[in-house]
Amino acid sequence: MPGRLMRSLWQRWRRYRYRFVPWIALNLSHNPRTLRYVPEESKDKVISDEDVLGTLLKVFQALFVNDFSKQSDILTVLPEPVKSKYQDLLSVQHPRVKQLEYRHQQQNTFTPEEILYKTLGFSVARAPSSLISAGKGVFVTKGLVQKGAVVSMYPGTVYQKYEPIFFQSIGNPFIFRCLDGVLIDGNDKGISKVVYRSCHGRDRLGPLKMSDSTWLTSEIHNPLAIGQYVNNCSNDRAANVCYQEFDVPAVFPIELKQYLPNIAYSYDRQSPLRCVVLVALRDIEQGEELFSNYYTIVS
């Protein structure tokens, strides 16, 4: 019995250590390939914020149009120019269906993963990691990820440095620390899940959702929202993606916020929502697992 318990604890540790910050820190000198050097915090950008925003808008608009028949409540509160824009996009995607008839017919929708592939040329998904005892990882399941592409997002509740996160952090390997100390809790279980759902319901404005909560379930509406499962690189598995912080601008379309997999712990209209995306450092082929640098050293 004691032997079985110790083996179980050892297996859990071997999975957890790839996300355990103190363990990674102590092993930095043995694994320099896990580091990425930038001259200063403001220059920690592989691609521009405009490119990140453009990619997210492209994917989210495609998801919105693909699920158009279920957006009727949202469309009723949108300005006419915005509704016309989506009707135009719809007519391009489904040219044989009259716009007025479309909402009353059975729609042959694509899965979110198919939409991602049709939009960006690749799809990603969670699967058992190629690292021994590392748990789940993220793989390119179809297509080719080009260097500089946004390949996934890190979902979760966003905490400012002064906000309480002690109880959520206990035994939690999914807390990401931004360069300015902002924390993102990407755990989809336990108290972290409860907190996110609570904040998600708090910020909803009638039919308008300010965030996506489906990443907490098995049916994810935003196929990019799996970045918390990307494992750390190692000596024999070099990083092929890196984390990049992105603050959602005030002009972000309100109807597309339903696909943002992040939400602020405290409601604050003055602060932009912090998101973190993962950007490809090189071309990544189908079947490859994503590995990231967990640490950025500011010189």
Side-chain angles (χ1 to χ4, degrees):
M1 185 65 178
R4 183 182 303 174
L5 177 61
M6 291 301 297
R7 285 194 298 272
S8 176
L9 291 174
W10 173 245
Q11 290 175 353
R12 288 175 62 87
W13 163 247
R14 293 182 66 183
R15 290 194 298 268
Y16 179 53
R17 66 181 183 179
Y18 291 103
R19 304 180 187 276
F20 184 54
V21 173
W23 182 85
I24 297 174
L26 289 173
N27 284 271
L28 288 178
S29 60
H30 303 293
N31 190 5
R33 296 176 72 177
T34 64
L35 300 178
R36 185 164 65 92
Y37 290 86
V38 297
E40 57 186 78
E41 291 186 13
S42 62
K43 296 182 179 180
D44 184 31
K45 303 284 185 182
V46 178
I47 60 177
S48 68
D49 285 344
E50 289 75 18
D51 288 339
V52 174
L53 178 61
T55 297
L56 297 184
L57 290 178
K58 186 177 181 180
V59 174
F60 292 179
Q61 285 177 350
L63 292 169
F64 187 91
V65 172
N66 183 63
D67 209 22
F68 196 79
S69 63
K70 299 179 181 179
Q71 306 288 356
S72 57
D73 290 342
I74 295 178
L75 291 171
T76 59
V77 300
L78 296 179
E80 284 299 327
V82 177
K83 286 192 282 189
S84 298
K85 178 187 70 173
Y86 287 113
Q87 288 176 340
D88 292 340
L89 290 172
L90 181 63
S91 65
V92 173
Q93 182 170 323
H94 301 273
R96 296 182 181 180
V97 181
K98 294 181 180 180
Q99 294 174 8
L100 295 178
E101 297 176 354
Y102 181 79
R103 291 168 60 185
H104 302 287
Q105 294 189 9
Q106 182 66 33
Q107 182 183 7
N108 294 321
T109 58
F110 297 96
T111 66
E113 291 75 19
E114 291 171 333
I115 290 296
L116 182 61
Y117 176 73
K118 288 167 64 69
T119 305
L120 299 184
F122 65 85
S123 60
V124 290
R126 292 172 293 186
S129 175
S130 59
L131 293 174
I132 299 176
S133 300
K136 292 181 180 179
V138 176
F139 292 80
V140 178
T141 55
K142 189 177 182 181
L144 172 69
V145 178
Q146 295 185 345
K147 180 180 178 179
V150 174
V151 67
S152 64
M153 303 180 69
Y154 200 101
T157 306
V158 181
Y159 293 83
Q160 299 299 318
K161 291 185 290 186
Y162 53 83
E163 292 176 332
I165 194 175
F166 174 76
F167 291 106
Q168 298 92 309
S169 68
I170 297 175
N172 185 353
F174 295 105
I175 294 180
F176 181 90
R177 184 183 185 278
C178 297
L179 289 172
D180 58 1
V182 170
L183 301 174
I184 301 180
D185 182 4
N187 195 353
D188 55 10
K189 298 178 178 62
I191 189 174
S192 300
K193 180 177 182 178
V194 173
V195 169
Y196 188 94
R197 285 193 183 278
S198 176
C199 295
H200 172 75
R202 175 200 65 196
D203 289 359
R204 181 166 180 164
L205 300 174
L208 296 170
K209 299 177 182 178
M210 297 296 102
S211 63
D212 172 33
S213 64
T214 64
W215 66 273
L216 298 168
T217 72
S218 59
E219 298 182 1
I220 300 176
H221 290 180
N222 176 2
L224 293 173
I226 55 176
Q228 78 274 38
Y229 283 100
V230 173
N231 281 304
N232 189 39
C233 61
S234 61
N235 283 327
D236 57 345
R237 304 290 179 90
N240 51 21
V241 298
C242 68
Y243 294 99
Q244 180 168 316
E245 299 169 20
F246 172 72
D247 289 338
V248 179
V251 296
F252 196 88
I254 193 169
E255 71 276 7
L256 299 182
K257 289 187 177 181
Q258 61 180 296
Y259 301 111
L260 288 172
N262 298 100
I263 196 165
Y265 176 74
S266 296
Y267 185 69
D268 184 359
R269 294 185 178 182
Q270 303 303 317
S271 301
L273 178 67
R274 172 65 53 81
C275 290
V276 171
V277 299
L278 286 94
V279 181
L281 295 173
R282 61 169 175 81
D283 290 353
I284 308 174
E285 298 181 352
Q286 179 175 327
E288 286 193 70
E289 183 174 0
L290 304 184
F291 293 104
S292 176
N293 308 87
Y294 275 166
Y295 279 84
T296 301
I297 303 301
V298 181
S299 58

